[in-house]
Amino acid sequence: MSALLSKCLARSRRRLPGTRRIGSLYGALALSIVATAFVPADATAAEGPTVTTRYGQVQGKAGQTANSYLGIPYAAPPVGSQRWKPPSPPERRQGVRDATTPGNPCMQAVRSSPWGNLAGPGTPSEDCLYLNVHTPAQRSLQKRPVMVWIHGGGFTVGSGTFYDGSTLAAEAGVVNVTFNYRLGAFGYLAHPGLAEESPQGMSGNYGLLDQQAALRWVRDNIAAFGGDPDNVTVFGESAGGGSVCQNLVSPRAIGLFDRAVAQSGCGFPLPTQESQQDRGATWANALGCADVACLRTRPADQVLGASLTPTARWTPNVDGKVLPLQVTDALERGRFHRVPVLQGTTADEGRLTVATTYDLAGRQLTAAGYPVAVRELYGERADEILARYPLSDHGTPAEALGAVLTDSQFACPQSRTAGLMAAHTRSYQYEFADRHAMDHLNLPISFPIGAPHGSEIRYVFGGVSGTPAQNTLSDRMVGYWTNFAKTGVPYAAGAPRWNVFPKVQTLAPEAITAGTTFPQDHKCDLWNRPAS
């Protein structure tokens, strides 16, 4: 989630009674979307397939079309003295580990939604560094491409288990991996004391280091599950998409993946380590701790509770080591891993923020309230923005504000990062445009929700049950994504060719088309203007 969207949600929480549900529902909508192999010769369906990893044997559960191995530790529990330290390898185990139950989700506020608990099954815990592997049930003599999913949720909520990769594995013949990483204060606290105890002078970015530890586990172990460690695609949405691009520019991720997919997030601006350490020290003092030793004595629930203030910003930081530069600066200088990249946005990203801030919070955005909202968000630029986004161009004030948020926070930044990457590698861009993608949720809002943030996720994971045209679109998107994972080129049976940037592939049930007017359509001359 971008800083501006976080600011918008935080403001709405402060002003409206009972609006904690706003952020919850935002996260629910952004994360919802999916609830929707190798079998060793000695495995049986009754006992479940057993695989030998470097850290011991794991026994999963067999399905008719896919096998699942759940709750596999990829790092040691980051508890006690290991809180706010880089992840270390898991211990080797004797015997066979039961891999039929997910591991704990990472510490986060428990939030109900129409789809259940956003953390997925289990109780949030600091002992949470677990992953899940989904493989086709059918045996293969060839290694299968691997797709590793990084979940979204604003770096504060979510889990890998919330996303079921079994349909994707079964339908596309890939090995799918999902995992948890440390969230909120547990994953992104920067503090001078943490930098002092680090040999590299680093603090914060523990959640990002967890992601890299999971990718190392995949590199070292996925062959045992029938996956190809030399053909790994990392993909994610929102904060997960931002994480994909952060790993693209991180020297510590070199050799850990071969392709990348960033959905609705890439070059989100990040704070410096210094500024985050200042915030972290202030936060720690409010918790009654002047040093790190004190912080580590605080119970996890107390740390979590203290981290939920609206002004807190739990996010990766530019520390010069894990993240040497801002993502866009690194891309501009060509300092990133030269792998093929597929990235894009949804046509109406910002309407979800408007819906959660207004209609779902019990009020509506009026014509008089529209310029007020724009001025609160954009300050001195408001007049210029309002002139470019007049109410007369939109059906409702909510749709107008949604367009402003879509273009400023998602469409134009992603267009820019796609262009910067295109100078060095194969770069593909899309726009997901099923304007009825979330009709099945019957959300009580006064304007069309369109194709908002997160609405493409279930189409990518497969198993969509919608209109025939929506089902076909999902099939083609699964083909595009998984063939990109296999070859570095997105293609799908019966679907139009996908050309490299500056062509943008529009993915809609009515038709899949390509064009070059995306920057004009989203007024990117306004949003991608160099800083003066």
Side-chain angles (χ1 to χ4, degrees), residues 319-458:
D319 61 2
K321 306 291 193 307
V322 181
L323 288 175
L325 297 165
Q326 292 283 352
V327 169
T328 51
D329 290 343
L331 297 179
E332 206 161 40
R333 302 180 194 184
R335 293 175 59 177
F336 67 99
H337 308 311
R338 305 296 179 78
V339 301
V341 181
L342 186 157
Q343 60 180 295
T345 54
T346 69
D348 306 298
E349 294 274 6
R351 292 192 192 182
L352 185 59
T353 302
V354 178
T356 54
T357 305
Y358 292 94
D359 288 50
L360 296 174
R363 59 177 184 166
Q364 290 185 13
L365 179 64
T366 64
Y370 170 59
V372 174
V374 172
R375 292 186 194 285
E376 286 185 348
L377 290 170
Y378 296 94
E380 62 184 22
R381 297 195 66 193
D383 287 340
E384 181 183 23
I385 294 166
L386 290 167
R388 296 289 297 273
Y389 294 83
L391 280 176
S392 57
D393 285 357
H394 303 275
T396 64
E399 291 169 76
L401 183 58
V404 172
L405 294 173
T406 294
D407 296 350
S408 64
Q409 296 299 294
F410 295 98
C412 296
Q414 199 111 37
S415 179
R416 184 185 178 206
T417 54
L420 292 173
M421 292 181 193
H424 304 281
T425 190
R426 287 202 306 280
S427 175
Y428 300 90
Q429 188 184 354
Y430 71 86
E431 182 174 47
F432 176 77
D434 181 359
R435 258 44 193 255
H436 300 283
M438 295 178 69
D439 286 0
H440 65 288
L441 294 176
N442 296 315
L443 296 175
I445 59 177
S446 61
F447 63 94
I449 192 70
H453 190 66
S455 57
E456 89 290 1
I457 299 177
R458 67 189 188 112

Side-chain angles (χ1 to χ4, degrees), residues 52-68:
T52 301
T53 75
R54 290 191 176 190
Y55 302 100
Q57 291 185 307
V58 296
Q59 186 173 63
K61 55 184 180 182
Q64 289 188 340
T65 59
N67 298 331
S68 299

Side-chain angles (χ1 to χ4, degrees), residues 54 70 84 115 118 120 122 152 161 177 191 206 227 231 233 242 251 260 285-286 291 305 361-362 404 432 465 475 477:
R54 290 191 176 190
L70 309 177
W84 296 309
W115 307 273
L118 293 181
T161 309
V177 179
H191 189 281
Y206 305 108
N231 189 0
T233 295
N285 288 334
D291 56 39
V404 172
F432 176 77
S465 179
D475 290 343
M477 288 176 64

Side-chain angles (χ1 to χ4, degrees), residues 105-388:
C106 289
M107 289 297 294
Q108 59 193 281
V110 176
R111 296 174 177 175
S112 60
S113 77
W115 307 273
N117 182 359
L118 293 181
T123 302
S125 169
E126 282 191 271
D127 177 6
C128 65
L129 301 186
Y130 298 94
L131 56 74
N132 313 297
V133 181
H134 301 277
T135 70
Q138 185 177 0
R139 300 178 62 163
S140 173
L141 296 177
Q142 294 183 327
K143 296 177 182 178
R144 300 183 186 275
V146 182
M147 298 183 71
V148 181
W149 173 255
I150 304 179
H151 72 78
F155 302 108
T156 59
V157 296
S159 75
T161 309
F162 192 81
Y163 303 86
D164 183 357
S166 59
T167 299
L168 186 64
E171 291 186 356
V174 300
V175 174
N176 177 250
V177 179
T178 65
F179 64 91
N180 305 333
Y181 56 95
R182 279 175 282 181
L183 301 167
F186 298 92
Y188 298 101
L189 172 67
H191 189 281
L194 293 171
E196 288 175 7
E197 70 179 26
S198 165
Q200 294 81 32
M202 300 183 304
S203 69
N205 290 335
Y206 305 108
L208 187 58
L209 291 171
D210 291 345
Q211 295 170 14
Q212 294 173 0
L215 287 167
R216 281 192 294 273
W217 186 98
V218 168
R219 179 194 62 194
D220 296 341
N221 294 278
I222 207 64
F225 297 84
D228 185 351
D230 296 319
N231 189 0
V232 175
T233 295
V234 61
F235 69 133
E237 185 268 347
S238 194
S243 296
V244 166
C245 290
Q246 290 152 21
N247 281 295
L248 270 171
V249 306
S250 174
R252 294 171 180 252
I254 189 168
L256 295 181
F257 54 92
D258 306 278
R259 340 227 185 264
V261 180
Q263 300 171 209
S264 298
C266 181
F268 295 140
L270 300 173
T272 64
Q273 178 174 274
E274 182 180 9
S275 65
Q276 280 296 85
Q277 286 183 167
D278 289 343
R279 292 189 187 99
T282 300
W283 175 82
N285 288 334
L287 194 59
C289 286
D291 56 39
V292 173
C294 171
L295 284 171
R296 289 196 173 112
T297 66
R298 291 292 190 258
D301 287 344
Q302 186 179 1
V303 173
L304 176 64
S307 74
L308 299 178
T309 60
T311 56
R313 186 181 181 190
W314 305 116
T315 183
N317 70 75
V318 179
D319 61 2
K321 306 291 193 307
V322 181
L323 288 175
L325 297 165
Q326 292 283 352
V327 169
T328 51
D329 290 343
L331 297 179
E332 206 161 40
R333 302 180 194 184
R335 293 175 59 177
F336 67 99
H337 308 311
R338 305 296 179 78
V339 301
V341 181
L342 186 157
Q343 60 180 295
T345 54
T346 69
D348 306 298
E349 294 274 6
R351 292 192 192 182
L352 185 59
T353 302
V354 178
T356 54
T357 305
Y358 292 94
D359 288 50
L360 296 174
R363 59 177 184 166
Q364 290 185 13
L365 179 64
T366 64
Y370 170 59
V372 174
V374 172
R375 292 186 194 285
E376 286 185 348
L377 290 170
Y378 296 94
E380 62 184 22
R381 297 195 66 193
D383 287 340
E384 181 183 23
I385 294 166
L386 290 167
R388 296 289 297 273

